[in-house]
Amino acid sequence: MTSNRSSRIQQQMYTRERRGIFRSNEGFDTIAVSGGLDTGFIKKVLHPFCVYDAPAELAARGEKDEARYPQALHLFHAEMGQLVLGRSIYQAADFTGLRSAFFTHNYIMPADQAAEAVKDYPSLLNADFGGSYDIEQGTELPELERIPAAAEARRPASPASLLASLGIDEKMFKKLLFAVISSVVTRRKVFVALDVAVEELSETALQLVGVLYGSLPYAYRRAFGFLTFSKEPQSRKGIHLTFVEQGSLRPNDRSIDKDYTFDLASKRVTNVDIDLGKQPYLSFAWSNLDQPGRAEAFYVFHEQMLEGMDSQRHTAIASCHELAVLYQIEEGSDSVYMQNRVGALRSMLDYLAPEGAVQSKRRLAELFRGGFQREYELVKQGEMPDPAIVKCFMEFEALAGAALGSDLLGYLIRSLYEANQAKSRERTEAYYALIEGSDSVSKPFFDTLLRGGKTVELFFPYMRQKFQEIVRAEELVKLAHHWSSQHPVLLRKAEFTELAAGQLAEKLRHDAEPVSAVNAVLDTVDRLLAEKGRIAGEDMLLLMEQLSYAANVFLLTELNLEQTRQEAFLQIGFLAHPGEVREWVARYSPQVQSTANVMLAAYRWFRDAEPDESIFGGLSPAELDRLQQLGRRWLQKDLEPSRFRRLVLAFYRDADTGLIEYGALLHYLHLHAPNRETVYLFMNWSEKQRLFSRERKLEPGYAAAVVAYFKKYDQDAFKNRTNRKLYFEQAGAPLQAAYVKARSELSPPIVRWLRRNRKAMVWFATAILVIGGGLAASGVFDSGKPAVADITASNPAPSPQERTNKIEPQVYARQVEDSVDGEWKPTTELVFEFGTEAECSAFQAGTITLKLEGGPEQTYKDRPVQHLCSSGAASSSTSGGQQAQNGGGSGQPADSSDSKPGSTGEEDSAQPNETVGATPPVDTPPGEAAPPAGGADGSAGGTSAEPTQQRSYQAIVSLGEMVDVGEISEVLVNQKIVEYIEK
């Protein structure tokens, strides 16, 4: 919707008549209009302002004099930018003469004229309006070039005099002006009740509007709307300031509780809560009331400075504050600048930020340069500038393109000097950070600084701080490379190289993995030089070489070998060149040379595929000891067979004192090997090594160490069938002899005595056979085999024949799935096998104890027993147990040959080829044949007479958890041993 189709000013008149443009009968309507106005604009925009409510005071007394009624002059800006200026006046009688009415006359100015018209606001406030119109003359009004002026223009009163007469002091004026400015950009309205007679209300309001107009920048005038009289406070679109009749601004009126209200009669102001001390524009406007020329000059400045800025900035009160300050600084007010130096400079930069603003806003650019000169003078007088001020100059330099030039470099150097003199590390770091962050200033500044004489002293404390802030050594190399690339003059300053190398060593000193850190440094150096190629130059190559050298020197002189991991140590590249290393370390102290000897030997020890004792050549006893301690620490985490050769070297000694510290070696294995089997593997491996055996015999010291190992650390080793089969039986003759001796010394004392006294042994065995046979025949005692406690407690005493043929119970373990807490889980169960149904039925679990190899005992109490004591049930269970363990099976009873009844723990640990149950052999020197066991014919010692043993009855006990079956060595029921077999 547009107001007109012409570029000229349109008119519209509205009153009560016999007919109108939009109605054919009598009533209020538009009665005349210019041809360029749209119908829609008239109805929707103009008609709402064609209204007049007579003042309550005059209506109450029935006043007939039209001149006493205040005119309602309104001015507002439509949505499309048109300016509407109009007046509504009271009429005592309409065309009938019988009732009162009002007459409204509006001028509508096109938007392109309105923007400039507000600058000449007095002409708007002194417009001439029509007071009546004869519709018989026609309904079309002429279009105008300009708004006609009144025959007698109002003479503007002195602002100060007018405000004083209305009781408006400085504080009240600032609040009123703030409310008007705020209303332009918010939805709040301003309602003012003047303390004047109602007849004078409109005229006085118009004069006050003139004062306010004179205090508003152009951007506000282009939006500002007012109404000089309204009976009640009403919110109208486009109207910001409304003057109302006295008494209409009632307290607690919810319709206006969020608006600004000024009841000047009672001095009551609402919703204007501001700190007037922080409103520079309001103070500036107050000072301009009697200086309209200065005010208008500021509005021109305001308009220019806002070019290119966001549209919201044009009507932001913050812009008024900032530009008022800058205008006063431009006028030469140093005090205004000194009150907020950072704020003033920052404001200038803000308005210079739009592209091309430095050229288009030359006044402001010159003003900024003036601020810089002020600040430079202050620094020359010994002041340390606020870093925020320095930052402003850095940003201006980037905007203006080196506009400050060498003056800025001098300013920065002088600022650094003052901070250095004051020992202000915080200010120094802040200045350097700003300089380094500016692409346009950084390089020329540092080049200038480093070319100077004493000024170079300002740089190295900062560079030291930069290096100290770095955490990792390779990052320090990158930083040194960056600075020397940007400023090649540094490459020719020894202080820079020394500083970088010293700080590099410091980083390495505090690194948890110094070897890895050094390698990262060397890789970084190689990469940086590769990136630069030939462009790097000799000076850069020299710097990088010196940093690499410093890193390697650190490893040589300061590396803590005792805290270095083997993997990291083997990454030290220079150790691969022992000749060069020895030439290199010749210049250092004997302590460093000794460390180098240890490092070179350690490198060969753990790098060579098959190291031997030649690695120790040339080492002093102290160096050898240090080296071997280092090797022992590295080896203890990975004692696999592939490392046995390296392990031996950790306990090597020369021929005069014994080639190897055998006892210490085996003790070390005991402490650090992952399991005992590793020790057995080592023993089997060692008997084929020249340092452990000679002429098919173990070194005496080693043989003694093996025996001592078993006696001290592994007394049950020979009782384990798996150990015997996998390790001890696989040993050669030299090691077998040591095993025999160790097992012999681990036997019970009576057995060892009998072995030493062969005749007594024969006599003792004969006596046992004779006496035992007689007693057994008479039934004095049973066979003496291990028994399960209370298994036959409730059974009647067996007959002599039953006792003679009694089969002892035995037990084996198997893995099955069982229901545990409502879920099927893997578990272990024990299967007890009995020779008679009675023994099976009487069995109760009681307390079951499992002895595990290499682990603690495990005890289970009162576990439920499943009795399978009929021959059919037992056969079925046996079959199921074999399937559970082996994935299938015949279900036949286990072969008893692996664990014969009547065997003892000592007999079960017998030497290979010894017959179980035979007379214990006497000690036989290595290499001599042992006497045959058993009878004179070498038979199996009477075992052929033993009846076939069948255990066909079973009782099953579930342990309720998983147990490693292979680790079970013994089963006890109520503290008595039950023979354990493996299936």
Side-chain angles (χ1 to χ4, degrees), residues 824-878:
W824 286 96
K825 297 181 178 179
T827 184
T828 301
E829 64 182 19
L830 299 178
V831 181
F832 291 87
E833 296 182 331
F834 301 90
T836 67
E837 182 177 352
E839 288 178 305
C840 176
S841 300
F843 174 69
Q844 296 297 325
T847 299
I848 296 177
T849 302
L850 302 185
K851 290 188 177 182
L852 305 180
E853 294 184 3
E857 295 181 351
Q858 296 188 17
T859 302
Y860 305 88
K861 293 185 178 181
D862 299 322
R863 296 292 185 188
V865 182
Q866 179 184 4
H867 292 89
L868 303 176
C869 298
S870 65
S871 59
S875 174
S876 173
S877 174
T878 301

Side-chain angles (χ1 to χ4, degrees), residues 776-779 781-783 798-807 947:
S778 62
F781 55 86
D782 61 14
S783 60
S799 65
Q801 183 63 30
E802 289 176 331
R803 285 197 298 269
T804 302
N805 298 326
K806 182 178 180 181
I807 303 174

